[in-house]
Coordinates of all heavy atoms in Angstrom, one line a residue:
V12 N 25.3 -16.9 -87.4 CA 24.4 -18.0 -86.9 C 23.0 -17.8 -87.6 O 22.5 -16.7 -87.6 CB 24.2 -18.0 -85.4 CG1 23.1 -19.0 -85.0 CG2 25.6 -18.4 -84.8
Q23 N -5.3 -31.9 -87.0 CA -6.5 -32.1 -86.2 C -6.0 -32.5 -84.8 O -4.9 -33.1 -84.6 CB -7.4 -33.2 -86.7 CG -8.2 -32.7 -87.9 CD -9.3 -33.7 -88.3 OE1 -9.1 -34.9 -88.3 NE2 -10.5 -33.2 -88.7
S27 N -0.2 -35.5 -85.0 CA 1.2 -35.2 -84.7 C 1.8 -34.4 -85.8 O 1.4 -34.3 -87.0 CB 2.0 -36.6 -84.7 OG 1.5 -37.4 -83.7
Y104 N 5.8 -21.5 -83.4 CA 6.9 -22.2 -82.8 C 8.3 -21.7 -83.3 O 8.5 -21.5 -84.5 CB 6.8 -23.7 -83.0 CG 5.7 -24.3 -82.2 CD1 4.4 -24.0 -82.5 CD2 6.0 -25.1 -81.1 CE1 3.3 -24.6 -81.7 CE2 5.0 -25.7 -80.3 CZ 3.7 -25.4 -80.6 OH 2.7 -26.0 -79.8

Side-chain angles (χ1 to χ4, degrees):
V12 171
Q23 287 190 319
S27 299
Y104 284 71

